[in-house]
Amino acid sequence: MSAGRTARERVRAELTREITDIARRQLAVDGAGGLSLRAVAREMGMVSSAIYRYFPSRDDLLTALIIDGYNAVGEAVEKADAACPREDHAGRWMAVCHAVRDWALTHPHEYALLYGSPVPGYQAPMDTVVAAVRDTVVYGRILSEAHAAGTLNPPDVCPPAPAPFGADAVRVREVMPGVPDDVVARALVAWTGLFGWVNFELFGQFNNVILDPATAFDHAMRCHAALLGLPVAATAPPHGK
Amino acid sequence: MSAGRTARERVRAELTREITDIARRQLAVDGAGGLSLRAVAREMGMVSSAIYRYFPSRDDLLTALIIDGYNAVGEAVEKADAACPREDHAGRWMAVCHAVRDWALTHPHEYALLYGSPVPGYQAPMDTVVAAVRDTVVYGRILSEAHAAGTLNPPDVCPPAPAPFGADAVRVREVMPGVPDDVVARALVAWTGLFGWVNFELFGQFNNVILDPATAFDHAMRCHAALLGLPVAATAPPHGK
DNA sequence: AGATAAACGAGAGCACCGCTCTTGACGATC
DNA sequence: GATCGTCAAGAGCGGTGCTCTCGTTTATCT
């Protein structure tokens, strides 16, 4: 079962992988719009129509790259979380934030493909959603464990979550069992705040304004941690330069 | 000065406007990637090359649409703010949030053009930045006035802003004079949180999870208001259906 | 072992795109 | 009335995604 049984299946898997590799390289250079099947074929010494034996359309190739991207950021988040002491829930949250930002900064076009504007006419198939929530699962687990450990003490500053929110909260709670509605709401605030910040930084809204985004980002995520009720220190960790 | 003096200038201005109108309509249907100069020309009964008399390249047409978009959302924000009592700073913040979200929901492709992934190879010229900050100026003025009125009382939950952040804070403070560093930091948190939420909602990250985004959004923005120190009520306003 | 079916690469071709260049007609200005 | 700048039109270049057909190769079934 190491690879496909027949020689044909083996070379097919290898070529498929080569296509996605080249496509990812092009993506990193030119962005999603610059991804060209013909260019991929040219670089492989093939003819453009041959690519369609492996990916029936450009969108299917994009889907493969999107799934790979979600898995890459999910894996980065998982590793960052795993490197922290289990009981340091605030540190794990901060590690997740920095992992997302670091991955986004090193893979800007892939990040844009995942969290930027959807490519026009492209409909994300169901295959993507399972990979898309890998990072969210990690995030939810941190909150869930912090709540179970009793270290999640959200300050009494927000108004109580409105009753109709409860219906949505039960769905979000699937990735953070046991967490009460008010904290679920704050979890959404922090999660959207994390990606909102990275979007601003990556898509240029901070240009000429925030010149030291690393410092500001770290502090902003600490504010989110504080609102969540995670006990967070003031000074920045030794992370980054 | 109502319009250009000569007849030639008048018809030129009119045609330029017609081009942007058609382009905006195409943008609303097919998104930024689907914007085609040839299609615009076809709809105008012109030949494609004639468009280049008015916009030297596709990117220049995009720039015009981007500037229009920034002005549109800026105007929506200004109107929403102006409709509130001056001293109700929390209400004004909530009005701004809902104005941004409502405009984004009614103009999703234009919003994506402004706040989504940058189109590959496109470099935003300087003309765009002045229009881009119209909404931010409104936001900053609300905070500045609330601070001056003494109604801005941020709860003591966040760690103090690190010293290196001060350099960036002075630039942000240009749109919110008088506001101390700690509040400037929280202002960035709230602002990125607002657009981060709208991005998630518009770009599909909430699909199958948040089914009542209006309710959740309103509450999330109230949480941000609370963190900012704006006195905010619990229940939702009569806004929307 | 031989026949059958599936998979494959190559090539031509379609309709579209952004963009450039040239040409001839029109209109404002001196 | 001549001139000069502006304009729409057309042809054309190189690029794109995608389809179809054509021989060839490979795996599988009888």
Short mmCIF file of all heavy atoms in Angstrom, two decimals, chain A residues 20-61:
data_model
loop_
_atom_site.label_atom_id
_atom_site.label_comp_id
_atom_site.label_asym_id
_atom_site.label_seq_id
_atom_site.Cartn_x
_atom_site.Cartn_y
_atom_site.Cartn_z
N THR A 20 0.97 19.86 -8.69
CA THR A 20 0.61 20.73 -7.57
C THR A 20 1.84 21.48 -7.04
O THR A 20 1.73 22.63 -6.64
CB THR A 20 0.00 19.90 -6.43
OG1 THR A 20 0.91 18.88 -6.03
CG2 THR A 20 -1.32 19.28 -6.86
N ASP A 21 2.99 20.83 -7.08
CA ASP A 21 4.21 21.51 -6.61
C ASP A 21 4.50 22.73 -7.48
O ASP A 21 4.74 23.83 -6.99
CB ASP A 21 5.40 20.55 -6.62
CG ASP A 21 5.37 19.60 -5.43
OD1 ASP A 21 4.57 19.87 -4.50
OD2 ASP A 21 6.12 18.62 -5.42
N ILE A 22 4.50 22.52 -8.79
CA ILE A 22 4.77 23.64 -9.70
C ILE A 22 3.70 24.70 -9.55
O ILE A 22 3.98 25.91 -9.52
CB ILE A 22 4.86 23.12 -11.15
CG1 ILE A 22 6.06 22.18 -11.30
CG2 ILE A 22 4.94 24.27 -12.13
CD1 ILE A 22 6.21 21.61 -12.70
N ALA A 23 2.45 24.26 -9.44
CA ALA A 23 1.37 25.22 -9.30
C ALA A 23 1.54 26.04 -8.02
O ALA A 23 1.32 27.26 -8.02
CB ALA A 23 0.03 24.50 -9.28
N ARG A 24 1.96 25.39 -6.95
CA ARG A 24 2.15 26.12 -5.70
C ARG A 24 3.28 27.12 -5.84
O ARG A 24 3.22 28.23 -5.30
CB ARG A 24 2.45 25.13 -4.57
CG ARG A 24 2.35 25.76 -3.20
CD ARG A 24 2.47 24.73 -2.07
NE ARG A 24 2.75 23.39 -2.53
CZ ARG A 24 1.84 22.43 -2.62
NH1 ARG A 24 0.61 22.68 -2.29
NH2 ARG A 24 2.18 21.23 -3.04
N ARG A 25 4.31 26.76 -6.59
CA ARG A 25 5.42 27.68 -6.79
C ARG A 25 4.93 28.89 -7.59
O ARG A 25 5.29 30.03 -7.30
CB ARG A 25 6.56 26.97 -7.50
CG ARG A 25 7.92 27.37 -6.99
CD ARG A 25 8.99 26.36 -7.36
NE ARG A 25 9.05 26.02 -8.76
CZ ARG A 25 9.18 24.78 -9.21
NH1 ARG A 25 9.26 23.79 -8.35
NH2 ARG A 25 9.24 24.55 -10.50
N GLN A 26 4.15 28.63 -8.63
CA GLN A 26 3.60 29.74 -9.41
C GLN A 26 2.70 30.61 -8.56
O GLN A 26 2.70 31.83 -8.66
CB GLN A 26 2.80 29.20 -10.59
CG GLN A 26 3.65 28.66 -11.71
CD GLN A 26 2.85 28.50 -12.98
OE1 GLN A 26 1.68 28.86 -13.03
NE2 GLN A 26 3.49 27.97 -14.01
N LEU A 27 1.92 29.95 -7.70
CA LEU A 27 1.03 30.69 -6.82
C LEU A 27 1.82 31.64 -5.93
O LEU A 27 1.42 32.79 -5.71
CB LEU A 27 0.24 29.69 -5.96
CG LEU A 27 -0.91 30.25 -5.14
CD1 LEU A 27 -2.09 30.53 -6.04
CD2 LEU A 27 -1.29 29.29 -4.04
N ALA A 28 2.93 31.15 -5.43
CA ALA A 28 3.73 31.97 -4.53
C ALA A 28 4.30 33.18 -5.24
O ALA A 28 4.60 34.19 -4.63
CB ALA A 28 4.84 31.14 -3.91
N VAL A 29 4.48 33.06 -6.55
CA VAL A 29 5.09 34.16 -7.31
C VAL A 29 4.04 35.13 -7.83
O VAL A 29 4.12 36.33 -7.64
CB VAL A 29 5.93 33.60 -8.48
CG1 VAL A 29 6.46 34.73 -9.33
CG2 VAL A 29 7.08 32.75 -7.94
N ASP A 30 3.02 34.58 -8.48
CA ASP A 30 2.07 35.43 -9.20
C ASP A 30 0.71 35.54 -8.54
O ASP A 30 -0.13 36.30 -9.02
CB ASP A 30 1.89 34.90 -10.63
CG ASP A 30 3.18 34.96 -11.42
OD1 ASP A 30 3.93 35.93 -11.21
OD2 ASP A 30 3.43 34.06 -12.24
N GLY A 31 0.47 34.78 -7.51
CA GLY A 31 -0.85 34.83 -6.90
C GLY A 31 -1.84 33.93 -7.61
O GLY A 31 -1.55 33.32 -8.64
N ALA A 32 -3.04 33.87 -7.03
CA ALA A 32 -4.03 32.93 -7.54
C ALA A 32 -4.40 33.25 -8.99
O ALA A 32 -4.57 32.35 -9.81
CB ALA A 32 -5.28 32.96 -6.65
N GLY A 33 -4.51 34.53 -9.30
CA GLY A 33 -4.91 34.91 -10.65
C GLY A 33 -3.87 34.54 -11.68
O GLY A 33 -4.19 34.36 -12.85
N GLY A 34 -2.63 34.43 -11.26
CA GLY A 34 -1.56 34.16 -12.20
C GLY A 34 -1.31 32.68 -12.42
O GLY A 34 -0.41 32.30 -13.16
N LEU A 35 -2.12 31.86 -11.77
CA LEU A 35 -1.95 30.41 -11.95
C LEU A 35 -2.44 30.02 -13.33
O LEU A 35 -3.61 30.20 -13.67
CB LEU A 35 -2.74 29.68 -10.87
CG LEU A 35 -2.29 28.26 -10.52
CD1 LEU A 35 -2.96 27.83 -9.24
CD2 LEU A 35 -2.57 27.29 -11.61
N SER A 36 -1.54 29.49 -14.12
CA SER A 36 -1.86 29.13 -15.50
C SER A 36 -1.55 27.67 -15.76
O SER A 36 -0.43 27.20 -15.56
CB SER A 36 -1.05 30.02 -16.45
OG SER A 36 -0.85 29.36 -17.68
N LEU A 37 -2.56 26.95 -16.22
CA LEU A 37 -2.35 25.54 -16.54
C LEU A 37 -1.33 25.39 -17.64
O LEU A 37 -0.50 24.48 -17.62
CB LEU A 37 -3.68 24.91 -16.97
CG LEU A 37 -4.72 24.73 -15.88
CD1 LEU A 37 -5.92 24.01 -16.41
CD2 LEU A 37 -4.13 23.95 -14.72
N ARG A 38 -1.37 26.30 -18.59
CA ARG A 38 -0.41 26.20 -19.69
C ARG A 38 1.02 26.38 -19.18
O ARG A 38 1.95 25.71 -19.63
CB ARG A 38 -0.74 27.26 -20.75
CG ARG A 38 -2.04 26.97 -21.49
CD ARG A 38 -2.29 28.05 -22.54
NE ARG A 38 -2.32 27.49 -23.88
CZ ARG A 38 -3.42 27.32 -24.61
NH1 ARG A 38 -4.58 27.71 -24.12
NH2 ARG A 38 -3.37 26.81 -25.81
N ALA A 39 1.16 27.32 -18.25
CA ALA A 39 2.50 27.55 -17.72
C ALA A 39 2.99 26.33 -16.94
O ALA A 39 4.17 25.96 -17.04
CB ALA A 39 2.50 28.79 -16.83
N VAL A 40 2.10 25.74 -16.18
CA VAL A 40 2.47 24.52 -15.46
C VAL A 40 2.91 23.44 -16.45
O VAL A 40 3.96 22.79 -16.30
CB VAL A 40 1.30 24.02 -14.59
CG1 VAL A 40 1.63 22.67 -13.99
CG2 VAL A 40 0.99 25.02 -13.50
N ALA A 41 2.09 23.26 -17.49
CA ALA A 41 2.41 22.25 -18.49
C ALA A 41 3.75 22.55 -19.16
O ALA A 41 4.58 21.65 -19.35
CB ALA A 41 1.29 22.19 -19.53
N ARG A 42 3.97 23.81 -19.46
CA ARG A 42 5.21 24.20 -20.12
C ARG A 42 6.40 23.82 -19.25
O ARG A 42 7.40 23.27 -19.72
CB ARG A 42 5.19 25.71 -20.37
CG ARG A 42 5.88 26.15 -21.64
CD ARG A 42 5.69 27.65 -21.83
NE ARG A 42 4.28 28.02 -21.92
CZ ARG A 42 3.72 29.01 -21.25
NH1 ARG A 42 4.44 29.75 -20.45
NH2 ARG A 42 2.44 29.28 -21.38
N GLU A 43 6.26 24.13 -17.95
CA GLU A 43 7.37 23.85 -17.05
C GLU A 43 7.60 22.36 -16.89
O GLU A 43 8.71 21.93 -16.58
CB GLU A 43 7.07 24.49 -15.68
CG GLU A 43 8.27 24.54 -14.76
CD GLU A 43 8.06 25.49 -13.60
OE1 GLU A 43 7.22 26.42 -13.71
OE2 GLU A 43 8.72 25.30 -12.56
N MET A 44 6.57 21.57 -17.13
CA MET A 44 6.73 20.13 -17.02
C MET A 44 7.13 19.49 -18.34
O MET A 44 7.32 18.28 -18.42
CB MET A 44 5.41 19.49 -16.55
CG MET A 44 5.06 19.82 -15.12
SD MET A 44 3.58 18.96 -14.61
CE MET A 44 4.13 17.26 -14.69
N GLY A 45 7.24 20.30 -19.40
CA GLY A 45 7.56 19.75 -20.70
C GLY A 45 6.40 18.98 -21.30
O GLY A 45 6.59 18.09 -22.14
N MET A 46 5.21 19.29 -20.85
CA MET A 46 4.03 18.63 -21.40
C MET A 46 3.28 19.61 -22.29
O MET A 46 3.64 20.78 -22.42
CB MET A 46 3.09 18.20 -20.27
CG MET A 46 3.49 16.94 -19.55
SD MET A 46 2.39 16.68 -18.16
CE MET A 46 1.41 15.34 -18.76
N VAL A 47 2.22 19.10 -22.84
CA VAL A 47 1.31 19.95 -23.60
C VAL A 47 0.12 20.28 -22.70
O VAL A 47 -0.23 19.50 -21.81
CB VAL A 47 0.90 19.21 -24.88
CG1 VAL A 47 -0.60 19.07 -24.98
CG2 VAL A 47 1.48 19.91 -26.08
N SER A 48 -0.47 21.45 -22.90
CA SER A 48 -1.44 21.93 -21.92
C SER A 48 -2.60 20.96 -21.73
O SER A 48 -3.08 20.76 -20.62
CB SER A 48 -1.97 23.29 -22.34
OG SER A 48 -2.80 23.16 -23.47
N SER A 49 -3.03 20.36 -22.81
CA SER A 49 -4.20 19.50 -22.69
C SER A 49 -3.93 18.28 -21.82
O SER A 49 -4.85 17.69 -21.24
CB SER A 49 -4.66 19.06 -24.08
OG SER A 49 -3.61 18.38 -24.74
N ALA A 50 -2.68 17.90 -21.70
CA ALA A 50 -2.36 16.71 -20.91
C ALA A 50 -2.66 16.93 -19.43
O ALA A 50 -2.97 15.98 -18.70
CB ALA A 50 -0.90 16.34 -21.10
N ILE A 51 -2.58 18.19 -18.99
CA ILE A 51 -2.86 18.49 -17.57
C ILE A 51 -4.27 18.04 -17.20
O ILE A 51 -4.52 17.60 -16.08
CB ILE A 51 -2.67 19.99 -17.31
CG1 ILE A 51 -1.23 20.40 -17.64
CG2 ILE A 51 -3.01 20.34 -15.86
CD1 ILE A 51 -0.24 20.03 -16.60
N TYR A 52 -5.15 18.13 -18.18
CA TYR A 52 -6.56 17.84 -17.88
C TYR A 52 -6.79 16.36 -17.61
O TYR A 52 -7.88 15.97 -17.18
CB TYR A 52 -7.45 18.34 -19.03
CG TYR A 52 -7.53 19.85 -19.08
CD1 TYR A 52 -6.55 20.59 -19.70
CD2 TYR A 52 -8.57 20.50 -18.45
CE1 TYR A 52 -6.61 21.97 -19.72
CE2 TYR A 52 -8.64 21.89 -18.47
CZ TYR A 52 -7.65 22.61 -19.10
OH TYR A 52 -7.72 23.98 -19.11
N ARG A 53 -5.79 15.53 -17.88
CA ARG A 53 -5.91 14.14 -17.46
C ARG A 53 -5.82 14.03 -15.94
O ARG A 53 -6.30 13.06 -15.35
CB ARG A 53 -4.77 13.31 -18.08
CG ARG A 53 -4.76 13.31 -19.59
CD ARG A 53 -5.80 12.35 -20.14
NE ARG A 53 -5.80 12.34 -21.60
CZ ARG A 53 -6.75 11.75 -22.31
NH1 ARG A 53 -7.76 11.15 -21.69
NH2 ARG A 53 -6.72 11.78 -23.63
N TYR A 54 -5.20 15.02 -15.33
CA TYR A 54 -4.96 14.93 -13.88
C TYR A 54 -5.89 15.86 -13.09
O TYR A 54 -6.31 15.52 -11.99
CB TYR A 54 -3.49 15.28 -13.59
CG TYR A 54 -2.54 14.34 -14.29
CD1 TYR A 54 -2.09 14.60 -15.59
CD2 TYR A 54 -2.13 13.17 -13.67
CE1 TYR A 54 -1.24 13.72 -16.24
CE2 TYR A 54 -1.27 12.29 -14.31
CZ TYR A 54 -0.83 12.58 -15.59
OH TYR A 54 0.00 11.70 -16.24
N PHE A 55 -6.16 17.02 -13.67
CA PHE A 55 -7.11 17.93 -13.04
C PHE A 55 -8.12 18.37 -14.09
O PHE A 55 -7.73 19.05 -15.06
CB PHE A 55 -6.39 19.13 -12.43
CG PHE A 55 -5.53 18.78 -11.24
CD1 PHE A 55 -4.19 18.52 -11.41
CD2 PHE A 55 -6.08 18.69 -9.97
CE1 PHE A 55 -3.40 18.18 -10.33
CE2 PHE A 55 -5.30 18.35 -8.88
CZ PHE A 55 -3.95 18.09 -9.06
N PRO A 56 -9.38 18.01 -13.90
CA PRO A 56 -10.36 18.28 -14.96
C PRO A 56 -10.58 19.77 -15.22
O PRO A 56 -11.13 20.13 -16.26
CB PRO A 56 -11.63 17.62 -14.43
CG PRO A 56 -11.40 17.40 -12.97
CD PRO A 56 -9.92 17.25 -12.80
N SER A 57 -10.17 20.63 -14.32
CA SER A 57 -10.30 22.06 -14.59
C SER A 57 -9.34 22.83 -13.70
O SER A 57 -8.77 22.28 -12.74
CB SER A 57 -11.73 22.53 -14.33
OG SER A 57 -11.94 22.73 -12.95
N ARG A 58 -9.19 24.07 -14.02
CA ARG A 58 -8.33 24.93 -13.23
C ARG A 58 -8.83 25.02 -11.79
O ARG A 58 -8.05 25.06 -10.85
CB ARG A 58 -8.28 26.31 -13.88
CG ARG A 58 -7.37 27.32 -13.22
CD ARG A 58 -7.37 28.61 -14.03
NE ARG A 58 -6.53 29.63 -13.45
CZ ARG A 58 -6.92 30.48 -12.53
NH1 ARG A 58 -8.14 30.41 -12.07
NH2 ARG A 58 -6.10 31.39 -12.04
N ASP A 59 -10.14 25.05 -11.63
CA ASP A 59 -10.70 25.14 -10.29
C ASP A 59 -10.35 23.92 -9.45
O ASP A 59 -10.13 24.03 -8.25
CB ASP A 59 -12.22 25.31 -10.37
CG ASP A 59 -12.62 26.74 -10.68
OD1 ASP A 59 -11.71 27.56 -10.92
OD2 ASP A 59 -13.82 27.03 -10.68
N ASP A 60 -10.30 22.75 -10.08
CA ASP A 60 -9.95 21.56 -9.32
C ASP A 60 -8.51 21.62 -8.84
O ASP A 60 -8.20 21.17 -7.73
CB ASP A 60 -10.19 20.33 -10.18
CG ASP A 60 -11.66 20.08 -10.41
OD1 ASP A 60 -12.30 19.44 -9.58
OD2 ASP A 60 -12.18 20.57 -11.43
N LEU A 61 -7.65 22.17 -9.68
CA LEU A 61 -6.27 22.36 -9.24
C LEU A 61 -6.23 23.34 -8.08
O LEU A 61 -5.51 23.14 -7.09
CB LEU A 61 -5.42 22.86 -10.41
CG LEU A 61 -3.95 23.16 -10.11
CD1 LEU A 61 -3.28 21.97 -9.45
CD2 LEU A 61 -3.21 23.55 -11.38
#
